[in-house]
Amino acid sequence: MDVIIRADALTKGYKTKKGEWIKALDAVSLDIQKGEIFGLLGTNGAGKTTIVRILSTLIYPDGGQASVMGYNVKKHPKEIRKNIGVCLGNKMVYHKMTARDNLRFFGKIYDVRNLDNKIDELAEFFDIKDRIDDLVENYSMGMKTKLAVMRAFIHDPPIVFLDEPTFGLDPGTGYKLRQRIKEMRDKEGKTIILCTHHLLEAEELCDTIAVLRKGKTVAVDTAEGLKRKVDSSKDVCIQFTHEKDAAVMSELFDVSQRKEKIVIPLSNSHLLHVLLQKVHEGNMEIQDIRVNKPTLEEAFLKMTS
Amino acid sequence: MRRAMGYINDLSGRRLSVLWAFVVKDLKQMFRFKTNIVNFVFAPMLTMFSFFLVYSSVFMQSGVDDLGFVQKQNYVVYLLTGFLAYSYFHMTWGKTKLKSEKMMQTLDGILLSPRSRLYILAGKGVKTFFEIIIVTLIFIAFMFFLTPSIIWINLFFGTVALMFIFIIFISFDFVISSIELSEEGIAAILVNYLPRAFLILGAVYFPIDIIPKWLWWLAYINPVYIGVNIFRSAFMEANIPLGIPISLLYIGALALLMPFFAIYVFDFVLKKWGVRGY
Ligand SMILES: Nc1ncnc2c1ncn2[C@@H]1O[C@H](COP(=O)(O)OP(=O)(O)OP(=O)(O)O)[C@@H](O)[C@H]1O
Ligand SMILES: [Mg+2]
């Protein structure tokens, strides 16, 4: 696979009111492959949006290099701009104009052919057709987000940056947008950079995830890889029908008990074997057995704390 | 120079359609506030009216007939032509409003497109030009009834000169509005004093004879002074030290350079200073 976006030791600092410098980015390096969905996760203020702003040529890095499709962000921003679509939250639209006028304006400056069809198509997809001729200032938060995403899609760019695109969307639209994002990767070969706080979304969509903390990358891996990194070994939770059985077992095997449930570590498979034997011998009744896998959330919390 | 050519080369694709998109966008937003027209016609009128009161009392009551270029028989025409220039200033000043484009990050939206920044200025310029044309036509129609002897060729040159002034004004406004993206304090000072200096040293509402002779050169290089006097020469005697052709050439050259300077400042602010709050 080809690297389509490369960031090399990017740094960006901002001055606070007190005059101290804070590093929004501190030597961040990333390689993003063509045709993948690349997730940026991180705590508030970790630098996700700053990375997107640099890669989309909106701001200059203080140090380091970055290139998109082989074009340097500082030297050839025009070439990059032709190939990217960017959505930064629910901003970047005119509130005193209708949604259709907004899309017409942005479509025209990208020289989009068949613009009106395109707008109708997007409006249909985002389920906003009946309000497309209303002023944006009358929109709800989620509707503004929809419009911002439509704005980023209007010229059908090969690279799309989406900064929290599902924030405030209803579950139905959120689902549809996720399907659309996957389709853009699978059918159209587009590269998508996705900033999100929604870990299930990241897990579902992203081929690679970078976790940021205070301007530094803590880890870059697949969702599975990230989960493996944190050594929360798997547990088995066994739920008995009667609480007294759980009490007996927890005492016998020295494991934790909560009401009818006991939790035993899966790493000790021998223990599980013996336990099941005892259940059988004692004629106890088991209602449910569940394996607790580590979640991306656990991995995220561990890495960013 | 190379940079200027770069700006022009970037105007690629269907240029007029892109420019028109910018104009329509600004017009649509302007027509949301229909009271704008009140502001740019009446505010200059009020200012000029106070000067009218002063002059009329001087000429009617003191017995003086001649204050240099302003005389008893032409002070109304003098003030009216000055009023036109003053309303130009009112229509252009504060019109590029990049700060409001920054608020909703629509400036980002535009910057993300592969378009020259010149379109931003041109779009706002053409939009304001429509307003200017309306006011100018009304004014000329009015003068047609008021002054019996219009020198039509001078009126033509004068109108061209006023268009140049308009381009210089709107570019200047773009410069300040760019600075405002990063340094609001500096911009606020420039906004308050720069245009006033232009207008006062432009002999828009009082004759140059009033200011000390050693300051006259400031008026003579002031495009507003030159432009307004070319325009005035269609209706009354006016002072054009360099003659109409050279004066037109001079402010024409300024009008050609100013937009590029404005875009240069805009780029400089974005790259070197950075936009506050981004
Ligand atoms: N224009 C600015 N001026 C000053 N500081 C800034 C500016 N933009 C960003 N920062 C700082 O840079 C750091 C990174 O900000 P950034 O917006 O990239 O975070 P983020 O990861 O997108 O956070 P969030 O999840 O809240 O969106 C923060 O500490 C922020 O305060
Ligand atoms: Mg952010």
PDB file of all heavy atoms in Angstrom, chain A residues 250-262:
ATOM      1  N   SER A 250     -17.277 -18.880  45.448  1.00  0.00           N
ATOM      2  CA  SER A 250     -16.308 -17.794  45.621  1.00  0.00           C
ATOM      3  C   SER A 250     -15.391 -18.079  46.808  1.00  0.00           C
ATOM      4  O   SER A 250     -14.210 -17.769  46.792  1.00  0.00           O
ATOM      5  CB  SER A 250     -17.018 -16.453  45.793  1.00  0.00           C
ATOM      6  OG  SER A 250     -17.306 -16.211  47.141  1.00  0.00           O
ATOM      7  N   GLU A 251     -15.950 -18.720  47.829  1.00  0.00           N
ATOM      8  CA  GLU A 251     -15.133 -19.072  48.988  1.00  0.00           C
ATOM      9  C   GLU A 251     -14.151 -20.180  48.641  1.00  0.00           C
ATOM     10  O   GLU A 251     -12.967 -20.118  48.955  1.00  0.00           O
ATOM     11  CB  GLU A 251     -16.049 -19.522  50.123  1.00  0.00           C
ATOM     12  CG  GLU A 251     -15.382 -19.359  51.475  1.00  0.00           C
ATOM     13  CD  GLU A 251     -16.432 -19.241  52.554  1.00  0.00           C
ATOM     14  OE1 GLU A 251     -17.167 -18.221  52.569  1.00  0.00           O
ATOM     15  OE2 GLU A 251     -16.529 -20.172  53.364  1.00  0.00           O
ATOM     16  N   LEU A 252     -14.663 -21.136  47.917  1.00  0.00           N
ATOM     17  CA  LEU A 252     -13.869 -22.312  47.553  1.00  0.00           C
ATOM     18  C   LEU A 252     -12.671 -21.939  46.680  1.00  0.00           C
ATOM     19  O   LEU A 252     -11.558 -22.412  46.867  1.00  0.00           O
ATOM     20  CB  LEU A 252     -14.779 -23.301  46.812  1.00  0.00           C
ATOM     21  CG  LEU A 252     -14.310 -24.742  46.732  1.00  0.00           C
ATOM     22  CD1 LEU A 252     -14.129 -25.331  48.126  1.00  0.00           C
ATOM     23  CD2 LEU A 252     -15.331 -25.565  45.960  1.00  0.00           C
ATOM     24  N   PHE A 253     -12.933 -21.054  45.716  1.00  0.00           N
ATOM     25  CA  PHE A 253     -11.861 -20.738  44.761  1.00  0.00           C
ATOM     26  C   PHE A 253     -11.198 -19.387  45.010  1.00  0.00           C
ATOM     27  O   PHE A 253     -10.343 -18.961  44.241  1.00  0.00           O
ATOM     28  CB  PHE A 253     -12.410 -20.777  43.329  1.00  0.00           C
ATOM     29  CG  PHE A 253     -12.755 -22.166  42.885  1.00  0.00           C
ATOM     30  CD1 PHE A 253     -14.057 -22.646  42.989  1.00  0.00           C
ATOM     31  CD2 PHE A 253     -11.762 -23.016  42.385  1.00  0.00           C
ATOM     32  CE1 PHE A 253     -14.363 -23.926  42.590  1.00  0.00           C
ATOM     33  CE2 PHE A 253     -12.081 -24.301  41.981  1.00  0.00           C
ATOM     34  CZ  PHE A 253     -13.382 -24.755  42.085  1.00  0.00           C
ATOM     35  N   ASP A 254     -11.666 -18.699  46.068  1.00  0.00           N
ATOM     36  CA  ASP A 254     -11.090 -17.414  46.419  1.00  0.00           C
ATOM     37  C   ASP A 254     -11.167 -16.410  45.249  1.00  0.00           C
ATOM     38  O   ASP A 254     -10.173 -15.816  44.840  1.00  0.00           O
ATOM     39  CB  ASP A 254      -9.625 -17.595  46.863  1.00  0.00           C
ATOM     40  CG  ASP A 254      -9.103 -16.314  47.506  1.00  0.00           C
ATOM     41  OD1 ASP A 254      -9.954 -15.527  47.993  1.00  0.00           O
ATOM     42  OD2 ASP A 254      -7.883 -16.112  47.501  1.00  0.00           O
ATOM     43  N   VAL A 255     -12.379 -16.300  44.675  1.00  0.00           N
ATOM     44  CA  VAL A 255     -12.584 -15.300  43.616  1.00  0.00           C
ATOM     45  C   VAL A 255     -13.698 -14.360  44.056  1.00  0.00           C
ATOM     46  O   VAL A 255     -14.446 -14.651  44.987  1.00  0.00           O
ATOM     47  CB  VAL A 255     -12.955 -15.957  42.259  1.00  0.00           C
ATOM     48  CG1 VAL A 255     -11.786 -16.751  41.718  1.00  0.00           C
ATOM     49  CG2 VAL A 255     -14.194 -16.829  42.400  1.00  0.00           C
ATOM     50  N   SER A 256     -13.795 -13.209  43.359  1.00  0.00           N
ATOM     51  CA  SER A 256     -14.753 -12.202  43.791  1.00  0.00           C
ATOM     52  C   SER A 256     -16.184 -12.585  43.425  1.00  0.00           C
ATOM     53  O   SER A 256     -16.419 -13.258  42.424  1.00  0.00           O
ATOM     54  CB  SER A 256     -14.414 -10.849  43.165  1.00  0.00           C
ATOM     55  OG  SER A 256     -14.541 -10.949  41.778  1.00  0.00           O
ATOM     56  N   GLN A 257     -17.095 -12.154  44.304  1.00  0.00           N
ATOM     57  CA  GLN A 257     -18.490 -12.515  44.087  1.00  0.00           C
ATOM     58  C   GLN A 257     -19.357 -11.263  44.189  1.00  0.00           C
ATOM     59  O   GLN A 257     -19.108 -10.384  45.001  1.00  0.00           O
ATOM     60  CB  GLN A 257     -18.938 -13.529  45.147  1.00  0.00           C
ATOM     61  CG  GLN A 257     -20.400 -13.905  45.033  1.00  0.00           C
ATOM     62  CD  GLN A 257     -21.061 -14.103  46.385  1.00  0.00           C
ATOM     63  OE1 GLN A 257     -20.394 -14.112  47.426  1.00  0.00           O
ATOM     64  NE2 GLN A 257     -22.368 -14.263  46.381  1.00  0.00           N
ATOM     65  N   ARG A 258     -20.337 -11.135  43.296  1.00  0.00           N
ATOM     66  CA  ARG A 258     -21.317 -10.063  43.428  1.00  0.00           C
ATOM     67  C   ARG A 258     -22.686 -10.691  43.173  1.00  0.00           C
ATOM     68  O   ARG A 258     -22.974 -11.107  42.065  1.00  0.00           O
ATOM     69  CB  ARG A 258     -21.050  -8.931  42.444  1.00  0.00           C
ATOM     70  CG  ARG A 258     -21.401  -7.594  43.059  1.00  0.00           C
ATOM     71  CD  ARG A 258     -21.141  -6.414  42.132  1.00  0.00           C
ATOM     72  NE  ARG A 258     -19.939  -6.504  41.325  1.00  0.00           N
ATOM     73  CZ  ARG A 258     -19.949  -6.338  39.995  1.00  0.00           C
ATOM     74  NH1 ARG A 258     -21.082  -6.137  39.367  1.00  0.00           N
ATOM     75  NH2 ARG A 258     -18.839  -6.394  39.311  1.00  0.00           N
ATOM     76  N   LYS A 259     -23.463 -10.766  44.218  1.00  0.00           N
ATOM     77  CA  LYS A 259     -24.771 -11.443  44.147  1.00  0.00           C
ATOM     78  C   LYS A 259     -24.621 -12.842  43.566  1.00  0.00           C
ATOM     79  O   LYS A 259     -23.836 -13.631  44.076  1.00  0.00           O
ATOM     80  CB  LYS A 259     -25.760 -10.591  43.352  1.00  0.00           C
ATOM     81  CG  LYS A 259     -26.106  -9.302  44.079  1.00  0.00           C
ATOM     82  CD  LYS A 259     -27.524  -8.876  43.772  1.00  0.00           C
ATOM     83  CE  LYS A 259     -27.922  -7.754  44.710  1.00  0.00           C
ATOM     84  NZ  LYS A 259     -28.737  -6.756  44.047  1.00  0.00           N
ATOM     85  N   GLU A 260     -25.310 -13.122  42.430  1.00  0.00           N
ATOM     86  CA  GLU A 260     -25.242 -14.494  41.886  1.00  0.00           C
ATOM     87  C   GLU A 260     -24.019 -14.705  41.010  1.00  0.00           C
ATOM     88  O   GLU A 260     -23.835 -15.774  40.450  1.00  0.00           O
ATOM     89  CB  GLU A 260     -26.496 -14.801  41.041  1.00  0.00           C
ATOM     90  CG  GLU A 260     -27.807 -14.776  41.771  1.00  0.00           C
ATOM     91  CD  GLU A 260     -28.457 -13.405  41.705  1.00  0.00           C
ATOM     92  OE1 GLU A 260     -28.126 -12.633  40.782  1.00  0.00           O
ATOM     93  OE2 GLU A 260     -29.277 -13.087  42.590  1.00  0.00           O
ATOM     94  N   LYS A 261     -23.207 -13.628  40.885  1.00  0.00           N
ATOM     95  CA  LYS A 261     -22.118 -13.730  39.906  1.00  0.00           C
ATOM     96  C   LYS A 261     -20.768 -13.921  40.577  1.00  0.00           C
ATOM     97  O   LYS A 261     -20.502 -13.354  41.629  1.00  0.00           O
ATOM     98  CB  LYS A 261     -22.040 -12.437  39.086  1.00  0.00           C
ATOM     99  CG  LYS A 261     -23.144 -12.280  38.075  1.00  0.00           C
ATOM    100  CD  LYS A 261     -22.942 -10.963  37.340  1.00  0.00           C
ATOM    101  CE  LYS A 261     -24.179 -10.630  36.522  1.00  0.00           C
ATOM    102  NZ  LYS A 261     -24.134  -9.248  36.076  1.00  0.00           N
ATOM    103  N   ILE A 262     -19.921 -14.716  39.912  1.00  0.00           N
ATOM    104  CA  ILE A 262     -18.511 -14.725  40.308  1.00  0.00           C
ATOM    105  C   ILE A 262     -17.673 -14.478  39.061  1.00  0.00           C
ATOM    106  O   ILE A 262     -18.107 -14.753  37.939  1.00  0.00           O
ATOM    107  CB  ILE A 262     -18.092 -16.062  40.967  1.00  0.00           C
ATOM    108  CG1 ILE A 262     -18.288 -17.231  39.993  1.00  0.00           C
ATOM    109  CG2 ILE A 262     -18.820 -16.292  42.276  1.00  0.00           C
ATOM    110  CD1 ILE A 262     -17.591 -18.493  40.452  1.00  0.00           C
TER     111      ILE A 262
END
